[in-house]
Amino acid sequence: MAPQKGNLMTYRKDIQVVDATIRDGGLCNNFYFDDEFIRDLYTTNLESGVEYMEFGYKASRDLFNPEEFGKWKFCNDDDIYEIVGENDTDLKVCVMADVGRTNYKRDIVERSNSPVDLVRVATYINTMPAAIEMIEHCAKMGYETTCNIMAVSKAHREDLLEALDMIGKSPADAVYLVDSYGSLYPEEIRNLSEMYLEQMDKYGKKVGIHAHNNQQLAFANTIEACSVGVSMLDATMNGMGRGAGNCMMEQLLGFLKNPKYQLPPVLRFLEQHMDKLREDGVQWGYQTAYLLTGRLNMHPRAAISFTKEKRHDYARFYLDMDQE
Amino acid sequence: MAPQKGNLMTYRKDIQVVDATIRDGGLCNNFYFDDEFIRDLYTTNLESGVEYMEFGYKASRDLFNPEEFGKWKFCNDDDIYEIVGENDTDLKVCVMADVGRTNYKRDIVERSNSPVDLVRVATYINTMPAAIEMIEHCAKMGYETTCNIMAVSKAHREDLLEALDMIGKSPADAVYLVDSYGSLYPEEIRNLSEMYLEQMDKYGKKVGIHAHNNQQLAFANTIEACSVGVSMLDATMNGMGRGAGNCMMEQLLGFLKNPKYQLPPVLRFLEQHMDKLREDGVQWGYQTAYLLTGRLNMHPRAAISFTKEKRHDYARFYLDMDQE
């Protein structure tokens, strides 16, 4: 077992917190956030000391109809400028670009003409070459980049090792361990984190973690990864994110010991905005059906339908899913 | 760091699961469960393969008015017989006896005249001598016994070591690590588990874990303790328990690999009974206010009031609590 990095009394200066509320949370409301929400979130992130704020996806308007989504599905530079101005702060702006869903040659322009600092390229293990092309483009345009390999619980170890090697040799600044299905236990997260760190250490690159809360393990998995050396930590306000959601910002900032992190601004944001979203009917967070798809290492889509339909027949759902 | 016990592909025969739904869940509804609930829970526990079912507290009728509580606050032997008959099964019956709240000399009679197999003696660190007396009485009456040291996050290490030594020398079969305030992180649970195990190994006794979900870490902490050798694992249906509740039975049985454990009966019980309790207004489970008392290592009572009053001013609550 690798030695522990850091302890519960001190803090590590290499840790960076990424607020992914708009991006992962947008999957719950088709990115229809009002501007006041986004402005207050920006202020909250500034006050709470987090390092990055993800504004959404850089999705292609050729593939997705702008009339069916809020603007943060597309993250036009102008829309971000509207919120952050020149962003003369320590808070960096990031966006996510999905392989195969982003017209990056057209939409991701020179960083000097954009409010964006970091582009996170999201890929499955079988589209790594396309991800590397996107990373090379974004790096050439001047951006920081990460490669987020989704659904890692479905990937084979030998493929993962090769993907990590490709990322190591690319201009990417970091690779993300992404437990898309919320199916991994802390023990597995620790082993994968050690594998990612070992590969990235060779190239002087960072490792990040993006956890899902299907088994109520998103926070535990995030701090487990952190304890062995993972340094980019994703969280969202009240855990807002697809299905069971993510590691909650309020959990994570309550845990981290760096005095730069402030919990009260986050608590005020929950009170002012997140509770209201829930009252307005936006749904996310742990439910029994998510536990079951997580347990079965499956995409949560069936559990999302189950929850929306207000079904309670968990045993039937589990047996049906287990036979797929 | 101690070596890991067991792995994710095999199972350990020493593991025993304890269903504490009635006992810890009873704190949410003053033990007013109907008989159908209790009978179905007994059947569910039989079918799902758990080892122990806790029926409630053995509280003294001199101290608590029976008109203000359901019968499982008192656990008369006759009431348990009514449910389990001669209990000619592999499922053992247990009750909890609180130091200072149990008239054990009167109410805990010879095991041969009782349906109870295991008495769990609950104590704070400063009432250990009284706990040992109760354990000695119960052991003399023929029962298995455990000593559950509550609120361990408030105890000093040297006191804890002495308490463990007292338990080691007593007739108790096991000691429980109890995170009453849900304030401990997995790393702390691991360290405490190793300390408990090291002390108990000397005497050939078992260690158990009872976790609370204030920081959504009850399941993670339970499996963390398990991974270093803790073998008695408490869980409740849908996590029902005081405040943020406990490790959920459905999480735990989804994790354990022993084929004797069956998840579907638990899922049917959730569907038939637990969802109904919630609809009837019984409250338990993770809420932001519990995260905050957990983070501050405090009793959850202020958070329970906050939640009942449907307050949303988390930042104010946090600042008020932090100044106590």
Side-chain angles (χ1 to χ4, degrees):
Chain A
M1 212 181 272
Q4 179 167 310
K5 302 240 174 86
N7 61 48
L8 293 174
M9 282 298 286
T10 59
Y11 68 88
R12 278 167 37 205
K13 288 189 179 157
D14 61 323
I15 285 175
Q16 297 178 307
V17 176
V18 181
D19 168 49
T21 306
I22 312 176
R23 205 268 312 156
D24 212 324
L27 297 171
C28 308
N29 67 348
N30 285 335
F31 304 89
Y32 285 116
F33 296 100
D34 59 36
D35 281 0
E36 191 192 348
F37 182 99
I38 306 291
R39 276 180 219 284
D40 286 356
L41 182 58
Y42 175 68
T43 308
T44 300
N45 283 328
L46 276 174
E47 290 174 356
S48 63
V50 315
E51 279 79 2
Y52 290 93
M53 172 169 168
E54 191 170 50
F55 275 75
Y57 283 100
K58 202 84 188 169
S60 169
R61 283 164 188 274
D62 308 332
L63 297 171
F64 298 94
N65 182 351
E67 291 179 9
E68 290 173 19
F69 298 94
K71 56 191 168 188
W72 306 108
K73 173 91 173 172
F74 307 99
C75 280
N76 283 339
D77 283 348
D78 286 346
D79 290 329
I80 300 176
Y81 273 129
E82 186 97 356
I83 305 294
V84 307
E86 287 303 316
N87 189 32
D88 187 18
T89 73
D90 290 332
L91 176 64
K92 291 184 174 176
V93 169
C94 69
V95 292
M96 183 161 277
D98 271 338
V99 164
R101 299 178 168 200
T102 308
N103 189 335
Y104 62 93
K105 289 177 186 165
R106 179 190 67 195
D107 293 339
I108 299 183
V109 301
E110 284 277 354
R111 181 176 179 182
S112 52
N113 297 322
S114 166
V116 174
D117 299 291
L118 163 65
V119 179
R120 308 210 294 175
V121 173
T123 179
Y124 290 103
I125 191 91
N126 62 335
T127 51
M128 278 304 300
I132 299 293
E133 271 191 15
M134 284 175 68
I135 287 165
E136 286 171 347
H137 170 83
C138 295
K140 208 168 129 195
M141 294 291 117
Y143 296 96
E144 298 174 32
T145 55
T146 69
C147 186
N148 296 31
I149 311 175
M150 298 184 288
V152 67
S153 57
K154 290 278 196 191
H156 296 291
R157 186 180 168 86
E158 58 274 22
D159 294 341
L160 208 45
L161 280 168
E162 193 162 340
L164 293 173
D165 201 52
M166 291 167 78
I167 295 166
K169 291 172 179 152
S170 82
D173 298 286
V175 61
Y176 257 84
L177 173 49
V178 186
D179 180 19
S180 303
Y181 303 156
S183 71
L184 296 172
Y185 295 114
E187 187 176 328
E188 297 171 293
I189 289 285
R190 188 190 317 150
N191 292 338
L192 283 167
S193 296
E194 287 171 358
M195 175 181 166
Y196 278 52
L197 286 162
E198 194 185 331
Q199 299 303 310
M200 289 304 112
D201 276 354
K202 295 183 202 164
Y203 300 97
K205 295 178 194 277
K206 297 178 286 187
V207 179
I209 172 108
H210 181 84
H212 276 270
N213 207 30
N214 296 61
Q215 304 198 70
Q216 281 201 358
L217 289 172
F219 175 45
N221 283 342
T222 300
I223 62 179
E224 181 75 25
C226 177
S227 78
V228 294
V230 168
S231 58
M232 297 188 80
L233 311 179
D234 280 19
T236 65
M237 296 294 166
N238 202 224
M240 187 185 188
R242 173 150 56 192
N246 305 110
C247 175
M248 299 178 195
M249 185 63 79
E250 58 272 28
Q251 291 173 303
L252 186 59
L253 295 195
F255 173 79
L256 294 173
K257 295 291 180 290
N258 189 334
K260 74 173 283 199
Y261 297 126
Q262 294 294 319
L263 186 52
V266 171
L267 297 176
R268 281 193 296 271
F269 190 83
L270 299 188
E271 182 180 334
Q272 284 162 19
H273 290 287
M274 302 313 290
D275 287 354
K276 188 173 174 305
L277 280 186
R278 283 196 194 271
E279 281 161 22
D280 291 348
V282 183
Q283 287 181 24
W284 73 89
Y286 178 83
Q287 297 283 346
T288 307
Y290 297 127
L291 172 74
L292 301 176
T293 58
R295 163 78 178 66
L296 295 169
N297 193 14
M298 293 174 68
H299 192 287
R301 72 174 67 81
I304 294 172
S305 302
F306 182 96
T307 301
K308 281 208 171 135
E309 291 164 20
K310 299 193 200 304
R311 282 173 59 182
H312 293 252
D313 51 335
Y314 311 112
R316 173 64 190 271
F317 177 75
Y318 182 60
L319 295 172
D320 286 352
M321 290 296 110
D322 205 12
Q323 286 176 340
E324 270 199 354
Chain B
M1 210 181 275
Q4 178 166 311
K5 301 242 173 85
N7 62 49
L8 294 173
M9 282 298 287
T10 58
Y11 69 89
R12 277 166 38 204
K13 288 188 178 157
D14 61 323
I15 286 174
Q16 298 178 307
V17 176
V18 180
D19 169 49
T21 305
I22 311 177
R23 206 270 310 156
D24 212 325
L27 297 170
C28 307
N29 68 349
N30 283 336
F31 304 89
Y32 286 116
F33 296 100
D34 59 35
D35 282 359
E36 191 192 348
F37 182 99
I38 306 292
R39 275 180 219 284
D40 285 356
L41 182 59
Y42 175 67
T43 309
T44 299
N45 283 328
L46 276 175
E47 290 174 357
S48 64
V50 314
E51 279 78 3
Y52 290 92
M53 172 169 168
E54 192 171 50
F55 274 75
Y57 283 99
K58 201 85 188 169
S60 169
R61 283 163 189 273
D62 308 331
L63 297 172
F64 299 94
N65 182 350
E67 289 179 9
E68 290 173 19
F69 297 94
K71 58 189 167 188
W72 306 108
K73 173 93 173 172
F74 307 98
C75 281
N76 283 338
D77 284 348
D78 285 346
D79 290 328
I80 300 177
Y81 273 130
E82 186 98 356
I83 304 293
V84 308
E86 287 303 315
N87 188 32
D88 186 18
T89 73
D90 290 333
L91 175 64
K92 290 182 173 177
V93 169
C94 70
V95 293
M96 182 163 276
D98 271 338
V99 163
R101 299 178 168 200
T102 308
N103 189 334
Y104 61 93
K105 289 177 185 165
R106 180 190 65 195
D107 294 339
I108 299 182
V109 302
E110 285 277 354
R111 183 177 178 182
S112 52
N113 298 323
S114 165
V116 173
D117 300 289
L118 163 65
V119 179
R120 308 209 294 175
V121 173
T123 179
Y124 290 103
I125 191 89
N126 62 337
T127 50
M128 279 302 301
I132 298 292
E133 272 192 13
M134 283 175 71
I135 288 165
E136 285 171 348
H137 170 82
C138 295
K140 207 168 130 195
M141 293 291 117
Y143 297 95
E144 298 173 32
T145 56
T146 69
C147 185
N148 296 32
I149 310 174
M150 298 184 288
V152 68
S153 57
K154 291 276 195 191
H156 296 292
R157 186 181 168 85
E158 57 274 22
D159 294 341
L160 208 44
L161 279 168
E162 192 161 343
L164 292 174
D165 201 52
M166 291 166 79
I167 295 166
K169 291 172 179 151
S170 82
D173 299 286
V175 62
Y176 257 84
L177 172 48
V178 185
D179 180 18
S180 303
Y181 303 157
S183 71
L184 296 171
Y185 296 115
E187 187 176 329
E188 297 170 292
I189 290 285
R190 190 188 318 149
N191 293 339
L192 283 167
S193 295
E194 287 171 359
M195 174 182 167
Y196 278 52
L197 285 162
E198 194 185 331
Q199 299 304 311
M200 289 304 113
D201 276 355
K202 295 182 201 164
Y203 299 97
K205 295 178 194 274
K206 297 178 285 186
V207 178
I209 171 107
H210 180 84
H212 275 270
N213 206 31
N214 295 61
Q215 305 199 68
Q216 280 202 357
L217 289 172
F219 176 45
N221 283 342
T222 301
I223 62 180
E224 182 75 25
C226 177
S227 78
V228 294
V230 168
S231 58
M232 295 189 82
L233 310 178
D234 279 19
T236 65
M237 296 294 165
N238 202 225
M240 187 183 189
R242 173 149 56 191
N246 306 109
C247 175
M248 300 178 195
M249 185 63 80
E250 58 271 30
Q251 293 174 302
L252 186 60
L253 295 195
F255 172 79
L256 294 172
K257 295 292 181 289
N258 188 334
K260 75 174 284 199
Y261 296 126
Q262 294 293 319
L263 186 52
V266 171
L267 297 176
R268 281 193 296 271
F269 190 83
L270 300 187
E271 182 181 335
Q272 285 164 17
H273 289 287
M274 302 312 291
D275 288 353
K276 188 172 176 306
L277 279 186
R278 283 198 194 271
E279 281 160 23
D280 291 348
V282 183
Q283 286 182 23
W284 73 90
Y286 178 83
Q287 297 283 345
T288 307
Y290 297 127
L291 173 73
L292 301 176
T293 57
R295 164 79 178 65
L296 296 168
N297 193 15
M298 294 173 67
H299 192 286
R301 69 174 68 80
I304 294 172
S305 302
F306 183 95
T307 301
K308 280 208 173 136
E309 290 164 21
K310 298 193 200 308
R311 283 174 58 183
H312 293 253
D313 51 334
Y314 310 113
R316 172 67 190 271
F317 177 74
Y318 182 60
L319 296 172
D320 285 352
M321 290 296 110
D322 206 12
Q323 287 175 340
E324 271 199 354

